[in-house]
Amino acid sequence: NAGVTQTPKFQVLKTGQSMTLQCAQDMNHNSMYWYRQDPGMGLRLIYYSASEGTTDKGEVPNGYNVSRLNKREFSLRLESAAPSQTSVYFCASGGLIVNEQFFGPGTRLTVL
Amino acid sequence: GNSVTQMEGPVTLSEEAFLTINCTYTATGYPSLFWYVQYPGEGLQLLLKATKADDKGSNKGFEATYRKETTSFHLEKGSVQVSDSAVYFCALSDRSSASKIIFGSGTRLSIRP
């Protein structure tokens, strides 16, 4: 049982480049989430998907897009990376009963 | 709106000391409450949870009791170890928040040998 997996683990981009962060879960959860974590800022929600086929903005959606490809997969895309998007990105999926979330190992992204 | 407030860190203790990390919340309805732990270089892991008033969540020697009268969910451990050094996040989930969890800002805990 792999839980929540994320790829890649590390990435360095130049300003203006694009990339997609991949996330998959094997727990049959309906809800999936993308967060960013910056020093001293805690976790901030970027986008979430309450169920397959739906996505909604979180606290800090600007500069990002998401796709809920199917029930298992939820990707995050940076169309034109900026240095302000240097961060650690976490994907999570949520259980049905009490909404507890399970996190992936994170992607460390540096934008130069 | 819903919110979580936890004590600021860093908290530094000696091994075998007693730990308390305070957490209070503001929420409508009856939220579920959680403590998550993040070890260096890793993602967040669910440490314990409580889903209704007076429930006590426990795991790995950590405990927290859901106190509705004081809107609190303080994390405690009787004897900490060096391996408990991590960042701890208090969080709540309310059905009215569309499956979202509200996280506190995190408390960094360092344990001296």
Side-chain angles (χ1 to χ4, degrees):
Chain A
N1 190 339
V4 180
T5 57
Q6 292 183 235
T7 56
K9 291 188 177 180
F10 301 94
Q11 184 70 50
V12 178
L13 294 177
K14 295 180 179 178
T15 296
Q17 288 185 317
S18 62
M19 78 162 295
T20 299
L21 282 64
Q22 306 287 352
C23 174
Q25 54 94 6
D26 62 3
M27 294 173 282
N28 200 36
H29 288 159
N30 284 328
S31 303
M32 298 186 73
Y33 311 82
W34 277 105
Y35 295 89
R36 60 178 288 174
Q37 185 178 36
D38 303 294
M41 300 288 289
L43 284 165
R44 292 186 290 172
L45 182 65
I46 304 171
Y47 270 94
Y48 67 102
S49 171
S51 62
E52 187 178 354
T54 68
T55 61
D56 288 285
K57 295 178 180 179
E59 183 183 355
V60 288
N62 291 345
Y64 305 95
N65 285 301
V66 290
S67 295
R68 183 74 182 267
L69 305 171
N70 47 55
K71 192 171 186 179
R72 289 186 66 249
E73 299 172 288
F74 189 39
S75 63
L76 178 72
R77 183 162 177 83
L78 286 70
E79 291 290 352
S80 179
S84 60
Q85 294 178 306
T86 294
S87 187
V88 182
Y89 291 85
F90 289 102
C91 177
S93 69
L96 286 175
I97 306 301
V98 295
N99 292 346
E100 61 190 88
Q101 292 183 12
F102 298 85
F103 284 77
T107 295
R108 296 182 180 276
L109 174 67
T110 301
V111 183
L112 303 174
Chain B
N2 296 344
S3 66
V4 175
T5 302
Q6 62 182 105
M7 65 188 288
E8 292 189 17
V11 174
T12 302
L13 296 172
S14 297
E15 203 165 21
E16 299 184 0
F18 184 86
L19 168 71
T20 300
I21 300 179
N22 290 336
C23 172
T24 58
Y25 67 90
T26 301
T28 55
Y30 301 92
S32 297
L33 302 174
F34 311 95
W35 277 100
Y36 283 82
V37 59
Q38 184 179 30
Y39 298 105
E42 299 184 8
L44 277 71
Q45 303 174 24
L46 180 65
L47 179 60
L48 53 84
K49 66 183 179 186
T51 59
K52 61 183 186 295
D54 300 325
D55 266 3
K56 177 184 284 188
S58 61
N59 186 24
K60 300 182 180 180
F62 290 90
E63 293 183 339
T65 301
Y66 189 142
R67 301 286 189 200
K68 190 165 177 62
E69 63 275 14
T70 55
T71 61
S72 65
F73 193 55
H74 304 321
L75 183 68
E76 297 182 335
K77 186 174 185 183
S79 177
V80 294
Q81 306 300 313
V82 172
S83 58
D84 294 326
S85 298
V87 180
Y88 292 82
F89 293 89
C90 185
L92 72 81
S93 174
D94 190 317
R95 288 180 184 269
S96 67
S97 66
S99 306
K100 292 185 287 185
I101 286 184
I102 307 299
F103 288 91
S105 56
T107 301
R108 182 174 298 279
L109 173 66
S110 296
I111 306 300
R112 293 188 299 253

PDB file of all heavy atoms in Angstrom, chain A residues 42-68:
ATOM      1  N   GLY A  42       3.853  28.013   7.444  1.00  0.00           N
ATOM      2  CA  GLY A  42       2.979  26.860   7.610  1.00  0.00           C
ATOM      3  C   GLY A  42       2.567  26.300   6.262  1.00  0.00           C
ATOM      4  O   GLY A  42       3.271  26.440   5.253  1.00  0.00           O
ATOM      5  N   LEU A  43       1.412  25.666   6.229  1.00  0.00           N
ATOM      6  CA  LEU A  43       0.872  25.080   5.007  1.00  0.00           C
ATOM      7  C   LEU A  43      -0.183  26.001   4.417  1.00  0.00           C
ATOM      8  O   LEU A  43      -1.061  26.468   5.133  1.00  0.00           O
ATOM      9  CB  LEU A  43       0.210  23.746   5.300  1.00  0.00           C
ATOM     10  CG  LEU A  43       1.126  22.567   5.537  1.00  0.00           C
ATOM     11  CD1 LEU A  43       0.337  21.435   6.160  1.00  0.00           C
ATOM     12  CD2 LEU A  43       1.747  22.098   4.246  1.00  0.00           C
ATOM     13  N   ARG A  44      -0.118  26.226   3.120  1.00  0.00           N
ATOM     14  CA  ARG A  44      -1.134  27.027   2.455  1.00  0.00           C
ATOM     15  C   ARG A  44      -1.743  26.217   1.322  1.00  0.00           C
ATOM     16  O   ARG A  44      -1.025  25.655   0.490  1.00  0.00           O
ATOM     17  CB  ARG A  44      -0.534  28.335   1.935  1.00  0.00           C
ATOM     18  CG  ARG A  44      -0.103  29.294   3.055  1.00  0.00           C
ATOM     19  CD  ARG A  44       0.361  30.627   2.510  1.00  0.00           C
ATOM     20  NE  ARG A  44       1.628  30.518   1.795  1.00  0.00           N
ATOM     21  CZ  ARG A  44       2.175  31.505   1.101  1.00  0.00           C
ATOM     22  NH1 ARG A  44       1.550  32.673   1.019  1.00  0.00           N
ATOM     23  NH2 ARG A  44       3.323  31.333   0.490  1.00  0.00           N
ATOM     24  N   LEU A  45      -3.069  26.194   1.287  1.00  0.00           N
ATOM     25  CA  LEU A  45      -3.788  25.409   0.294  1.00  0.00           C
ATOM     26  C   LEU A  45      -3.789  26.121  -1.045  1.00  0.00           C
ATOM     27  O   LEU A  45      -4.203  27.286  -1.138  1.00  0.00           O
ATOM     28  CB  LEU A  45      -5.219  25.150   0.779  1.00  0.00           C
ATOM     29  CG  LEU A  45      -6.107  24.302  -0.112  1.00  0.00           C
ATOM     30  CD1 LEU A  45      -5.572  22.877  -0.205  1.00  0.00           C
ATOM     31  CD2 LEU A  45      -7.537  24.296   0.434  1.00  0.00           C
ATOM     32  N   ILE A  46      -3.372  25.419  -2.098  1.00  0.00           N
ATOM     33  CA  ILE A  46      -3.317  26.010  -3.432  1.00  0.00           C
ATOM     34  C   ILE A  46      -4.626  25.734  -4.174  1.00  0.00           C
ATOM     35  O   ILE A  46      -5.322  26.652  -4.603  1.00  0.00           O
ATOM     36  CB  ILE A  46      -2.132  25.452  -4.235  1.00  0.00           C
ATOM     37  CG1 ILE A  46      -0.820  25.667  -3.485  1.00  0.00           C
ATOM     38  CG2 ILE A  46      -2.058  26.113  -5.614  1.00  0.00           C
ATOM     39  CD1 ILE A  46       0.361  24.949  -4.127  1.00  0.00           C
ATOM     40  N   TYR A  47      -4.926  24.459  -4.349  1.00  0.00           N
ATOM     41  CA  TYR A  47      -6.147  23.994  -4.992  1.00  0.00           C
ATOM     42  C   TYR A  47      -6.572  22.702  -4.305  1.00  0.00           C
ATOM     43  O   TYR A  47      -5.752  22.008  -3.709  1.00  0.00           O
ATOM     44  CB  TYR A  47      -5.911  23.678  -6.479  1.00  0.00           C
ATOM     45  CG  TYR A  47      -6.135  24.815  -7.432  1.00  0.00           C
ATOM     46  CD1 TYR A  47      -5.063  25.618  -7.826  1.00  0.00           C
ATOM     47  CD2 TYR A  47      -7.392  25.073  -7.976  1.00  0.00           C
ATOM     48  CE1 TYR A  47      -5.251  26.659  -8.724  1.00  0.00           C
ATOM     49  CE2 TYR A  47      -7.580  26.105  -8.879  1.00  0.00           C
ATOM     50  CZ  TYR A  47      -6.498  26.906  -9.243  1.00  0.00           C
ATOM     51  OH  TYR A  47      -6.692  27.931 -10.135  1.00  0.00           O
ATOM     52  N   TYR A  48      -7.851  22.381  -4.454  1.00  0.00           N
ATOM     53  CA  TYR A  48      -8.315  21.098  -3.979  1.00  0.00           C
ATOM     54  C   TYR A  48      -9.392  20.560  -4.918  1.00  0.00           C
ATOM     55  O   TYR A  48      -9.958  21.297  -5.730  1.00  0.00           O
ATOM     56  CB  TYR A  48      -8.819  21.180  -2.541  1.00  0.00           C
ATOM     57  CG  TYR A  48     -10.073  21.995  -2.339  1.00  0.00           C
ATOM     58  CD1 TYR A  48     -11.309  21.386  -2.182  1.00  0.00           C
ATOM     59  CD2 TYR A  48     -10.008  23.386  -2.269  1.00  0.00           C
ATOM     60  CE1 TYR A  48     -12.447  22.132  -1.986  1.00  0.00           C
ATOM     61  CE2 TYR A  48     -11.145  24.139  -2.074  1.00  0.00           C
ATOM     62  CZ  TYR A  48     -12.364  23.515  -1.926  1.00  0.00           C
ATOM     63  OH  TYR A  48     -13.500  24.258  -1.739  1.00  0.00           O
ATOM     64  N   SER A  49      -9.631  19.276  -4.755  1.00  0.00           N
ATOM     65  CA  SER A  49     -10.646  18.596  -5.550  1.00  0.00           C
ATOM     66  C   SER A  49     -11.468  17.738  -4.598  1.00  0.00           C
ATOM     67  O   SER A  49     -10.966  16.755  -4.058  1.00  0.00           O
ATOM     68  CB  SER A  49      -9.986  17.723  -6.617  1.00  0.00           C
ATOM     69  OG  SER A  49     -10.945  16.912  -7.264  1.00  0.00           O
ATOM     70  N   ALA A  50     -12.704  18.139  -4.377  1.00  0.00           N
ATOM     71  CA  ALA A  50     -13.553  17.412  -3.428  1.00  0.00           C
ATOM     72  C   ALA A  50     -14.028  16.073  -3.992  1.00  0.00           C
ATOM     73  O   ALA A  50     -14.381  15.165  -3.225  1.00  0.00           O
ATOM     74  CB  ALA A  50     -14.752  18.266  -3.026  1.00  0.00           C
ATOM     75  N   SER A  51     -14.053  15.962  -5.301  1.00  0.00           N
ATOM     76  CA  SER A  51     -14.444  14.696  -5.928  1.00  0.00           C
ATOM     77  C   SER A  51     -13.936  14.695  -7.360  1.00  0.00           C
ATOM     78  O   SER A  51     -13.572  15.743  -7.915  1.00  0.00           O
ATOM     79  CB  SER A  51     -15.958  14.503  -5.889  1.00  0.00           C
ATOM     80  OG  SER A  51     -16.600  15.532  -6.620  1.00  0.00           O
ATOM     81  N   GLU A  52     -13.925  13.522  -7.974  1.00  0.00           N
ATOM     82  CA  GLU A  52     -13.487  13.413  -9.365  1.00  0.00           C
ATOM     83  C   GLU A  52     -14.327  14.334 -10.232  1.00  0.00           C
ATOM     84  O   GLU A  52     -15.547  14.374 -10.120  1.00  0.00           O
ATOM     85  CB  GLU A  52     -13.650  11.965  -9.809  1.00  0.00           C
ATOM     86  CG  GLU A  52     -13.070  11.674 -11.167  1.00  0.00           C
ATOM     87  CD  GLU A  52     -13.225  10.205 -11.536  1.00  0.00           C
ATOM     88  OE1 GLU A  52     -13.673   9.417 -10.677  1.00  0.00           O
ATOM     89  OE2 GLU A  52     -12.903   9.848 -12.681  1.00  0.00           O
ATOM     90  N   GLY A  53     -13.666  15.118 -11.054  1.00  0.00           N
ATOM     91  CA  GLY A  53     -14.372  16.002 -11.969  1.00  0.00           C
ATOM     92  C   GLY A  53     -14.582  17.407 -11.448  1.00  0.00           C
ATOM     93  O   GLY A  53     -15.073  18.277 -12.168  1.00  0.00           O
ATOM     94  N   THR A  54     -14.189  17.673 -10.191  1.00  0.00           N
ATOM     95  CA  THR A  54     -14.342  19.020  -9.640  1.00  0.00           C
ATOM     96  C   THR A  54     -13.012  19.502  -9.086  1.00  0.00           C
ATOM     97  O   THR A  54     -12.234  18.722  -8.516  1.00  0.00           O
ATOM     98  CB  THR A  54     -15.377  19.067  -8.511  1.00  0.00           C
ATOM     99  OG1 THR A  54     -14.877  18.341  -7.385  1.00  0.00           O
ATOM    100  CG2 THR A  54     -16.701  18.465  -8.939  1.00  0.00           C
ATOM    101  N   THR A  55     -12.760  20.804  -9.250  1.00  0.00           N
ATOM    102  CA  THR A  55     -11.599  21.440  -8.633  1.00  0.00           C
ATOM    103  C   THR A  55     -12.004  22.823  -8.146  1.00  0.00           C
ATOM    104  O   THR A  55     -12.888  23.459  -8.738  1.00  0.00           O
ATOM    105  CB  THR A  55     -10.408  21.575  -9.599  1.00  0.00           C
ATOM    106  OG1 THR A  55     -10.791  22.395 -10.702  1.00  0.00           O
ATOM    107  CG2 THR A  55      -9.943  20.213 -10.106  1.00  0.00           C
ATOM    108  N   ASP A  56     -11.356  23.287  -7.080  1.00  0.00           N
ATOM    109  CA  ASP A  56     -11.653  24.598  -6.515  1.00  0.00           C
ATOM    110  C   ASP A  56     -10.384  25.259  -6.026  1.00  0.00           C
ATOM    111  O   ASP A  56      -9.431  24.585  -5.615  1.00  0.00           O
ATOM    112  CB  ASP A  56     -12.635  24.476  -5.349  1.00  0.00           C
ATOM    113  CG  ASP A  56     -14.033  24.143  -5.806  1.00  0.00           C
ATOM    114  OD1 ASP A  56     -14.695  25.067  -6.338  1.00  0.00           O
ATOM    115  OD2 ASP A  56     -14.443  22.991  -5.656  1.00  0.00           O
ATOM    116  N   LYS A  57     -10.407  26.593  -6.047  1.00  0.00           N
ATOM    117  CA  LYS A  57      -9.259  27.354  -5.592  1.00  0.00           C
ATOM    118  C   LYS A  57      -9.165  27.319  -4.078  1.00  0.00           C
ATOM    119  O   LYS A  57     -10.160  27.320  -3.368  1.00  0.00           O
ATOM    120  CB  LYS A  57      -9.378  28.805  -6.062  1.00  0.00           C
ATOM    121  CG  LYS A  57      -9.322  28.968  -7.569  1.00  0.00           C
ATOM    122  CD  LYS A  57      -9.499  30.424  -7.955  1.00  0.00           C
ATOM    123  CE  LYS A  57      -9.432  30.584  -9.476  1.00  0.00           C
ATOM    124  NZ  LYS A  57      -9.621  32.001  -9.885  1.00  0.00           N
ATOM    125  N   GLY A  58      -7.924  27.319  -3.626  1.00  0.00           N
ATOM    126  CA  GLY A  58      -7.653  27.435  -2.209  1.00  0.00           C
ATOM    127  C   GLY A  58      -7.222  28.842  -1.863  1.00  0.00           C
ATOM    128  O   GLY A  58      -7.676  29.819  -2.465  1.00  0.00           O
ATOM    129  N   GLU A  59      -6.291  28.940  -0.954  1.00  0.00           N
ATOM    130  CA  GLU A  59      -5.844  30.225  -0.441  1.00  0.00           C
ATOM    131  C   GLU A  59      -4.907  30.965  -1.399  1.00  0.00           C
ATOM    132  O   GLU A  59      -4.944  32.199  -1.490  1.00  0.00           O
ATOM    133  CB  GLU A  59      -5.129  29.990   0.897  1.00  0.00           C
ATOM    134  CG  GLU A  59      -4.646  31.209   1.632  1.00  0.00           C
ATOM    135  CD  GLU A  59      -3.886  30.832   2.899  1.00  0.00           C
ATOM    136  OE1 GLU A  59      -3.825  29.636   3.246  1.00  0.00           O
ATOM    137  OE2 GLU A  59      -3.321  31.747   3.524  1.00  0.00           O
ATOM    138  N   VAL A  60      -4.059  30.215  -2.129  1.00  0.00           N
ATOM    139  CA  VAL A  60      -3.026  30.836  -2.968  1.00  0.00           C
ATOM    140  C   VAL A  60      -2.986  30.217  -4.362  1.00  0.00           C
ATOM    141  O   VAL A  60      -1.988  29.611  -4.760  1.00  0.00           O
ATOM    142  CB  VAL A  60      -1.634  30.749  -2.288  1.00  0.00           C
ATOM    143  CG1 VAL A  60      -1.549  31.695  -1.111  1.00  0.00           C
ATOM    144  CG2 VAL A  60      -1.324  29.314  -1.855  1.00  0.00           C
ATOM    145  N   PRO A  61      -4.025  30.374  -5.183  1.00  0.00           N
ATOM    146  CA  PRO A  61      -4.091  29.683  -6.478  1.00  0.00           C
ATOM    147  C   PRO A  61      -3.354  30.365  -7.629  1.00  0.00           C
ATOM    148  O   PRO A  61      -3.110  29.728  -8.665  1.00  0.00           O
ATOM    149  CB  PRO A  61      -5.594  29.670  -6.768  1.00  0.00           C
ATOM    150  CG  PRO A  61      -6.077  30.939  -6.128  1.00  0.00           C
ATOM    151  CD  PRO A  61      -5.249  31.106  -4.883  1.00  0.00           C
ATOM    152  N   ASN A  62      -2.995  31.642  -7.473  1.00  0.00           N
ATOM    153  CA  ASN A  62      -2.445  32.385  -8.609  1.00  0.00           C
ATOM    154  C   ASN A  62      -1.133  31.792  -9.091  1.00  0.00           C
ATOM    155  O   ASN A  62      -0.223  31.533  -8.314  1.00  0.00           O
ATOM    156  CB  ASN A  62      -2.243  33.855  -8.229  1.00  0.00           C
ATOM    157  CG  ASN A  62      -3.559  34.576  -8.046  1.00  0.00           C
ATOM    158  OD1 ASN A  62      -4.605  34.094  -8.458  1.00  0.00           O
ATOM    159  ND2 ASN A  62      -3.506  35.730  -7.410  1.00  0.00           N
ATOM    160  N   GLY A  63      -1.040  31.597 -10.410  1.00  0.00           N
ATOM    161  CA  GLY A  63       0.165  31.045 -11.014  1.00  0.00           C
ATOM    162  C   GLY A  63       0.147  29.541 -11.158  1.00  0.00           C
ATOM    163  O   GLY A  63       1.123  28.958 -11.651  1.00  0.00           O
ATOM    164  N   TYR A  64      -0.943  28.904 -10.743  1.00  0.00           N
ATOM    165  CA  TYR A  64      -1.062  27.447 -10.783  1.00  0.00           C
ATOM    166  C   TYR A  64      -2.349  27.021 -11.497  1.00  0.00           C
ATOM    167  O   TYR A  64      -3.341  27.749 -11.489  1.00  0.00           O
ATOM    168  CB  TYR A  64      -1.104  26.861  -9.372  1.00  0.00           C
ATOM    169  CG  TYR A  64       0.051  27.249  -8.484  1.00  0.00           C
ATOM    170  CD1 TYR A  64      -0.061  28.327  -7.613  1.00  0.00           C
ATOM    171  CD2 TYR A  64       1.236  26.531  -8.503  1.00  0.00           C
ATOM    172  CE1 TYR A  64       0.990  28.697  -6.787  1.00  0.00           C
ATOM    173  CE2 TYR A  64       2.289  26.879  -7.674  1.00  0.00           C
ATOM    174  CZ  TYR A  64       2.162  27.969  -6.820  1.00  0.00           C
ATOM    175  OH  TYR A  64       3.198  28.326  -6.004  1.00  0.00           O
ATOM    176  N   ASN A  65      -2.306  25.824 -12.059  1.00  0.00           N
ATOM    177  CA  ASN A  65      -3.504  25.161 -12.556  1.00  0.00           C
ATOM    178  C   ASN A  65      -3.473  23.709 -12.114  1.00  0.00           C
ATOM    179  O   ASN A  65      -2.385  23.172 -11.837  1.00  0.00           O
ATOM    180  CB  ASN A  65      -3.579  25.223 -14.087  1.00  0.00           C
ATOM    181  CG  ASN A  65      -3.962  26.591 -14.576  1.00  0.00           C
ATOM    182  OD1 ASN A  65      -5.015  27.110 -14.247  1.00  0.00           O
ATOM    183  ND2 ASN A  65      -3.080  27.195 -15.363  1.00  0.00           N
ATOM    184  N   VAL A  66      -4.636  23.096 -12.029  1.00  0.00           N
ATOM    185  CA  VAL A  66      -4.695  21.701 -11.603  1.00  0.00           C
ATOM    186  C   VAL A  66      -5.580  20.909 -12.554  1.00  0.00           C
ATOM    187  O   VAL A  66      -6.416  21.460 -13.262  1.00  0.00           O
ATOM    188  CB  VAL A  66      -5.251  21.550 -10.175  1.00  0.00           C
ATOM    189  CG1 VAL A  66      -4.253  22.073  -9.151  1.00  0.00           C
ATOM    190  CG2 VAL A  66      -6.600  22.219 -10.038  1.00  0.00           C
ATOM    191  N   SER A  67      -5.358  19.603 -12.514  1.00  0.00           N
ATOM    192  CA  SER A  67      -6.204  18.672 -13.266  1.00  0.00           C
ATOM    193  C   SER A  67      -6.464  17.453 -12.403  1.00  0.00           C
ATOM    194  O   SER A  67      -5.514  16.844 -11.902  1.00  0.00           O
ATOM    195  CB  SER A  67      -5.529  18.236 -14.567  1.00  0.00           C
ATOM    196  OG  SER A  67      -5.356  19.317 -15.448  1.00  0.00           O
ATOM    197  N   ARG A  68      -7.738  17.132 -12.241  1.00  0.00           N
ATOM    198  CA  ARG A  68      -8.080  15.867 -11.565  1.00  0.00           C
ATOM    199  C   ARG A  68      -8.308  14.858 -12.690  1.00  0.00           C
ATOM    200  O   ARG A  68      -9.381  14.764 -13.277  1.00  0.00           O
ATOM    201  CB  ARG A  68      -9.333  16.028 -10.716  1.00  0.00           C
ATOM    202  CG  ARG A  68      -9.694  14.777  -9.933  1.00  0.00           C
ATOM    203  CD  ARG A  68      -8.779  14.549  -8.777  1.00  0.00           C
ATOM    204  NE  ARG A  68      -9.065  13.341  -8.048  1.00  0.00           N
ATOM    205  CZ  ARG A  68      -9.858  13.266  -6.976  1.00  0.00           C
ATOM    206  NH1 ARG A  68     -10.468  14.356  -6.530  1.00  0.00           N
ATOM    207  NH2 ARG A  68     -10.022  12.127  -6.362  1.00  0.00           N
TER     208      ARG A  68
END
